[in-house]
Amino acid sequence: DYYTVTTVDEALGLLAAQREKARVIAGATDLINELERGVRKGITTLIDITRVPGLAEITLDENDWVHLGPLVTHNQCAASPLLQARALPLAQACWEVGAPQIRNRATVAGNLITASPANDTISPLMAMDATVTLASSANGRRIVALRDFYTGVRRTVLQPDEMLIDIAFPALQATERGKFVTLALRRAQAISVIHVAVIVEFEPAADGSIVEQTIRRARIALGAVAPTIVRAADAEIYLAGQQLTPAVIEQAGQLAQLAARPIDDIR
Protein backbone atom coordinates (compact mmCIF):
# COMPACT_ATOMS: atom_id res chain seq x y z
CA ASP A 1 0.00 0.00 0.00
CA TYR A 2 1.32 3.42 -0.98
CA TYR A 3 0.01 6.58 0.67
CA THR A 4 0.79 10.16 -0.35
CA VAL A 5 -0.01 12.36 2.64
CA THR A 6 -0.30 16.13 2.85
CA THR A 7 0.07 16.68 6.62
CA VAL A 8 2.34 15.38 9.35
CA ASP A 9 -0.69 14.33 11.39
CA GLU A 10 -1.90 12.17 8.51
CA ALA A 11 1.49 10.45 8.35
CA LEU A 12 1.53 9.90 12.12
CA GLY A 13 -1.96 8.41 12.01
CA LEU A 14 -0.89 5.86 9.41
CA LEU A 15 2.25 5.03 11.41
CA ALA A 16 0.15 4.51 14.55
CA ALA A 17 -2.12 2.10 12.68
CA GLN A 18 0.53 0.20 10.72
CA ARG A 19 3.55 0.47 13.07
CA GLU A 20 6.28 -2.08 12.09
CA LYS A 21 4.57 -2.69 8.74
CA ALA A 22 5.01 0.93 7.61
CA ARG A 23 7.92 3.13 6.60
CA VAL A 24 8.00 6.85 5.87
CA ILE A 25 9.67 7.68 2.57
CA ALA A 26 10.97 10.92 1.06
CA GLY A 27 13.99 10.31 -1.15
CA ALA A 28 13.72 6.52 -0.62
CA THR A 29 17.18 6.06 -2.14
CA ASP A 30 18.09 3.47 0.50
CA LEU A 31 14.72 1.91 1.27
CA ILE A 32 13.67 1.08 -2.28
CA ASN A 33 16.94 -0.76 -2.90
CA GLU A 34 16.57 -2.66 0.36
CA LEU A 35 12.99 -3.67 -0.48
CA GLU A 36 14.06 -4.89 -3.91
CA ARG A 37 16.88 -6.96 -2.38
CA GLY A 38 14.57 -8.42 0.26
CA VAL A 39 16.55 -6.91 3.13
CA ARG A 40 13.46 -5.31 4.69
CA LYS A 41 10.95 -7.96 5.68
CA GLY A 42 7.33 -7.41 6.64
CA ILE A 43 6.91 -3.89 5.24
CA THR A 44 3.51 -3.58 3.57
CA THR A 45 2.94 0.19 3.69
CA LEU A 46 4.91 3.16 2.36
CA ILE A 47 3.99 6.68 3.52
CA ASP A 48 5.25 9.34 1.12
CA ILE A 49 5.69 12.74 2.84
CA THR A 50 7.10 14.68 -0.13
CA ARG A 51 3.85 16.64 -0.59
CA VAL A 52 3.70 17.87 3.01
CA PRO A 53 4.40 21.63 2.84
CA GLY A 54 7.09 23.29 4.95
CA LEU A 55 9.31 20.25 5.51
CA ALA A 56 12.08 21.16 3.04
CA GLU A 57 13.35 24.29 4.78
CA ILE A 58 16.74 25.25 6.25
CA THR A 59 16.25 27.99 8.85
CA LEU A 60 18.08 29.86 11.62
CA ASP A 61 16.04 30.57 14.75
CA GLU A 62 16.26 33.40 17.28
CA ASN A 63 18.56 31.32 19.51
CA ASP A 64 21.09 30.93 16.66
CA TRP A 65 20.18 27.28 16.08
CA VAL A 66 19.97 25.86 12.56
CA HIS A 67 16.96 23.67 11.73
CA LEU A 68 16.66 21.19 8.86
CA GLY A 69 13.26 19.84 7.89
CA PRO A 70 12.89 16.12 7.12
CA LEU A 71 12.67 16.79 3.37
CA VAL A 72 15.91 18.78 3.14
CA THR A 73 18.18 17.12 0.57
CA HIS A 74 21.94 16.79 0.47
CA ASN A 75 22.24 19.21 -2.44
CA GLN A 76 20.14 21.77 -0.59
CA CYS A 77 22.65 21.60 2.27
CA ALA A 78 25.70 21.69 0.03
CA ALA A 79 24.36 24.79 -1.78
CA SER A 80 23.02 26.59 1.30
CA PRO A 81 24.84 29.90 2.04
CA LEU A 82 23.71 29.56 5.66
CA LEU A 83 25.31 26.15 6.08
CA GLN A 84 28.45 27.12 4.18
CA ALA A 85 28.91 30.02 6.60
CA ARG A 86 27.65 28.52 9.88
CA ALA A 87 27.89 24.72 9.43
CA LEU A 88 30.62 24.09 6.88
CA PRO A 89 31.37 20.44 7.87
CA LEU A 90 27.76 19.48 7.13
CA ALA A 91 27.82 21.21 3.73
CA GLN A 92 31.11 19.45 2.92
CA ALA A 93 29.73 16.06 3.99
CA CYS A 94 26.57 16.48 1.92
CA TRP A 95 28.70 17.30 -1.14
CA GLU A 96 30.46 13.92 -0.77
CA VAL A 97 27.26 11.84 -0.82
CA GLY A 98 26.59 9.80 -3.96
CA ALA A 99 26.05 11.31 -7.39
CA PRO A 100 24.16 14.53 -8.23
CA GLN A 101 20.99 12.54 -8.86
CA ILE A 102 21.19 10.97 -5.39
CA ARG A 103 22.01 14.28 -3.70
CA ASN A 104 19.02 15.90 -5.38
CA ARG A 105 16.65 13.29 -3.96
CA ALA A 106 18.13 11.77 -0.82
CA THR A 107 17.35 13.56 2.45
CA VAL A 108 19.63 14.20 5.41
CA ALA A 109 16.90 12.84 7.70
CA GLY A 110 16.89 9.59 5.74
CA ASN A 111 20.67 9.39 6.01
CA LEU A 112 20.43 9.71 9.80
CA ILE A 113 17.68 7.12 10.12
CA THR A 114 19.43 4.54 7.91
CA ALA A 115 22.06 4.59 10.68
CA SER A 116 25.02 3.12 8.84
CA PRO A 117 28.26 3.94 10.67
CA ALA A 118 29.64 5.06 7.28
CA ASN A 119 26.89 7.62 6.59
CA ASP A 120 28.62 10.95 5.97
CA THR A 121 26.12 13.43 7.40
CA ILE A 122 25.93 11.85 10.85
CA SER A 123 29.46 12.75 11.91
CA PRO A 124 29.30 16.54 11.31
CA LEU A 125 25.90 16.71 12.96
CA MET A 126 27.18 14.72 15.94
CA ALA A 127 30.26 16.96 16.17
CA MET A 128 27.94 19.99 16.21
CA ASP A 129 25.90 18.49 19.08
CA ALA A 130 22.76 18.10 16.97
CA THR A 131 19.40 16.93 18.23
CA VAL A 132 16.48 15.30 16.43
CA THR A 133 12.80 15.83 17.19
CA LEU A 134 10.64 12.69 16.98
CA ALA A 135 6.86 12.83 16.85
CA SER A 136 4.08 10.30 17.31
CA SER A 137 0.30 10.65 17.51
CA ALA A 138 0.17 8.82 20.86
CA ASN A 139 3.06 10.41 22.75
CA GLY A 140 3.58 13.78 21.12
CA ARG A 141 7.11 15.06 20.52
CA ARG A 142 10.44 14.25 22.13
CA ILE A 143 13.91 15.67 21.51
CA VAL A 144 16.83 13.23 21.42
CA ALA A 145 20.52 14.14 21.25
CA LEU A 146 21.95 12.65 18.07
CA ARG A 147 24.70 10.91 20.02
CA ASP A 148 21.95 9.04 21.95
CA PHE A 149 19.92 8.25 18.82
CA TYR A 150 21.98 5.23 17.76
CA THR A 151 22.04 1.85 19.50
CA GLY A 152 24.06 -0.19 16.98
CA VAL A 153 24.66 -0.87 13.31
CA ARG A 154 21.54 0.42 11.52
CA ARG A 155 19.65 0.60 14.82
CA THR A 156 18.14 3.69 16.45
CA VAL A 157 15.74 4.61 19.25
CA LEU A 158 13.09 5.64 16.67
CA GLN A 159 9.85 3.84 17.57
CA PRO A 160 7.56 2.23 14.95
CA ASP A 161 4.94 4.98 15.35
CA GLU A 162 7.43 7.87 15.30
CA MET A 163 8.56 10.20 12.53
CA LEU A 164 11.60 12.48 12.53
CA ILE A 165 10.31 16.01 12.02
CA ASP A 166 13.32 18.24 12.78
CA ILE A 167 17.13 18.23 12.94
CA ALA A 168 18.64 21.09 14.95
CA PHE A 169 22.09 22.23 16.06
CA PRO A 170 23.79 25.43 17.27
CA ALA A 171 25.30 27.39 14.39
CA LEU A 172 29.08 27.73 14.46
CA GLN A 173 30.30 30.96 16.03
CA ALA A 174 33.06 33.34 14.92
CA THR A 175 35.50 31.64 17.32
CA GLU A 176 34.85 28.18 15.85
CA ARG A 177 36.27 26.40 12.82
CA GLY A 178 35.05 23.11 11.33
CA LYS A 179 36.09 20.61 8.69
CA PHE A 180 34.85 17.31 7.26
CA VAL A 181 37.29 14.88 5.62
CA THR A 182 36.55 11.48 4.09
CA LEU A 183 38.71 8.67 2.76
CA ALA A 184 37.23 6.21 0.27
CA LEU A 185 38.40 3.79 -2.38
CA ARG A 186 37.40 6.19 -5.18
CA ARG A 187 37.41 9.96 -5.45
CA ALA A 188 33.64 10.16 -5.91
CA GLN A 189 30.45 8.10 -5.49
CA ALA A 190 32.06 5.88 -2.87
CA ILE A 191 31.09 4.84 0.65
CA SER A 192 33.55 6.12 3.23
CA VAL A 193 36.25 3.78 4.50
CA ILE A 194 36.72 6.36 7.26
CA HIS A 195 35.61 9.92 7.75
CA VAL A 196 35.99 12.59 10.42
CA ALA A 197 34.28 15.83 11.37
CA VAL A 198 36.19 18.23 13.61
CA ILE A 199 34.94 21.41 15.30
CA VAL A 200 37.49 23.52 17.19
CA GLU A 201 36.52 26.49 19.35
CA PHE A 202 39.33 28.92 20.13
CA GLU A 203 39.83 31.42 22.93
CA PRO A 204 39.57 34.80 21.18
CA ALA A 205 42.54 37.15 21.26
CA ALA A 206 42.19 40.72 22.48
CA ASP A 207 41.75 41.95 18.91
CA GLY A 208 39.14 39.28 18.19
CA SER A 209 41.40 37.13 16.00
CA ILE A 210 41.72 33.40 16.63
CA VAL A 211 44.82 32.53 14.61
CA GLU A 212 47.06 30.16 16.60
CA GLN A 213 45.22 30.90 19.83
CA THR A 214 44.40 28.49 22.65
CA ILE A 215 41.72 25.86 22.07
CA ARG A 216 38.71 26.26 24.34
CA ARG A 217 36.88 23.14 23.17
CA ALA A 218 37.22 20.48 20.48
CA ARG A 219 34.62 18.10 19.09
CA ILE A 220 35.71 15.16 16.93
CA ALA A 221 33.32 12.62 15.39
CA LEU A 222 34.60 9.52 13.57
CA GLY A 223 32.67 7.50 10.99
CA ALA A 224 33.07 3.88 9.84
CA VAL A 225 35.39 2.96 12.72
CA ALA A 226 32.83 1.51 15.17
CA PRO A 227 29.27 0.07 15.23
CA THR A 228 28.00 3.66 15.34
CA ILE A 229 29.57 7.01 14.57
CA VAL A 230 31.47 7.96 17.71
CA ARG A 231 33.08 10.95 19.40
CA ALA A 232 36.81 10.80 20.11
CA ALA A 233 36.46 11.79 23.77
CA ASP A 234 40.11 11.33 24.79
CA ALA A 235 41.34 13.56 21.98
CA GLU A 236 38.68 16.18 22.76
CA ILE A 237 39.71 16.35 26.42
CA TYR A 238 43.41 16.53 25.53
CA LEU A 239 42.96 19.43 23.09
CA ALA A 240 41.23 21.72 25.59
CA GLY A 241 43.73 24.37 26.64
CA GLN A 242 46.28 23.44 23.97
CA GLN A 243 47.53 25.33 20.93
CA LEU A 244 47.60 23.70 17.49
CA THR A 245 51.27 22.90 17.19
CA PRO A 246 52.37 19.93 15.07
CA ALA A 247 53.15 17.94 18.23
CA VAL A 248 49.71 18.62 19.71
CA ILE A 249 48.01 17.65 16.45
CA GLU A 250 50.01 14.42 16.31
CA GLN A 251 49.11 13.50 19.89
CA ALA A 252 45.43 14.29 19.29
CA GLY A 253 45.48 11.98 16.29
CA GLN A 254 46.97 9.18 18.38
CA LEU A 255 44.31 9.67 21.05
CA ALA A 256 41.50 9.79 18.49
CA GLN A 257 42.41 6.26 17.42
CA LEU A 258 41.36 5.00 20.85
CA ALA A 259 37.72 5.57 19.88
CA ALA A 260 37.96 3.09 16.98
CA ARG A 261 36.19 -0.26 17.42
CA PRO A 262 35.71 -1.42 13.81
CA ILE A 263 32.95 -3.86 12.97
CA ASP A 264 33.84 -6.93 10.93
CA ASP A 265 32.69 -6.23 7.38
CA ILE A 266 34.07 -6.32 3.84
CA ARG A 267 35.47 -2.77 4.08
Side-chain angles (χ1 to χ4, degrees):
D1 295 326
Y2 182 88
Y3 294 88
T4 299
V5 300
T6 56
T7 67
V8 170
D9 287 343
E10 189 180 355
L12 295 179
L14 287 167
L15 282 173
Q18 299 292 329
R19 295 186 66 82
E20 289 85 354
K21 297 178 181 178
R23 290 292 185 277
V24 171
I25 62 169
T29 53
D30 282 326
L31 184 61
I32 293 300
N33 287 333
E34 291 172 350
L35 290 173
E36 288 181 344
R37 296 198 305 265
V39 175
R40 300 278 187 150
K41 304 292 185 181
I43 296 176
T44 61
T45 302
L46 299 180
I47 305 166
D48 188 337
I49 63 169
T50 55
R51 294 187 182 180
V52 179
L55 299 187
E57 297 179 357
I58 302 172
T59 58
L60 184 70
D61 70 17
E62 65 277 7
N63 297 315
D64 218 24
W65 276 59
V66 176
H67 294 263
L68 310 180
L71 293 181
V72 170
T73 67
H74 293 81
N75 262 354
Q76 271 183 273
C77 289
S80 165
L82 172 61
L83 296 191
Q84 290 171 12
R86 306 294 304 277
L88 181 62
L90 179 59
Q92 291 173 325
C94 287
W95 184 250
E96 297 289 348
V97 172
Q101 297 93 329
I102 294 295
R103 292 195 297 271
N104 277 334
R105 184 164 183 86
T107 64
V108 175
N111 203 238
L112 300 189
I113 291 170
T114 300
S116 165
N119 281 4
D120 292 315
T121 62
I122 301 173
S123 55
L125 286 166
M126 194 173 289
M128 291 187 290
D129 294 325
T131 66
V132 292
T133 301
L134 311 178
S136 76
S137 58
N139 300 310
R141 299 185 178 191
R142 62 180 177 131
I143 297 175
V144 178
L146 190 61
R147 66 189 306 169
D148 299 325
F149 186 62
Y150 300 101
T151 60
V153 179
R154 296 183 178 272
R155 296 200 305 272
T156 74
V157 301
L158 185 72
Q159 296 301 302
D161 66 338
E162 286 184 318
M163 171 181 161
L164 190 157
I165 60 170
D166 184 54
I167 302 163
F169 54 89
L172 296 185
Q173 302 301 304
T175 55
E176 294 178 299
R177 295 291 183 267
K179 180 75 172 177
F180 173 84
V181 179
T182 182
L183 174 67
L185 300 181
R186 298 191 302 269
R187 294 189 60 169
Q189 299 187 41
I191 296 174
S192 293
V193 174
I194 183 173
H195 65 252
V196 58
V198 179
I199 310 292
V200 177
E201 179 185 0
F202 293 91
E203 297 282 1
D207 63 357
S209 72
I210 63 170
V211 178
E212 297 182 358
Q213 295 300 313
T214 303
I215 299 168
R216 178 182 291 172
R217 182 187 181 204
R219 288 166 282 170
I220 304 169
L222 303 172
V225 300
T228 64
I229 286 175
V230 294
R231 291 276 287 266
D234 291 317
E236 292 178 352
I237 293 169
Y238 167 74
L239 284 169
Q242 302 279 3
Q243 293 194 353
L244 284 181
T245 65
V248 166
I249 293 169
E250 174 69 22
Q251 179 63 19
Q254 295 294 328
L255 291 171
Q257 295 183 46
L258 300 177
R261 305 184 306 278
I263 61 175
D264 184 15
D265 71 354
I266 60 172
R267 300 202 316 280

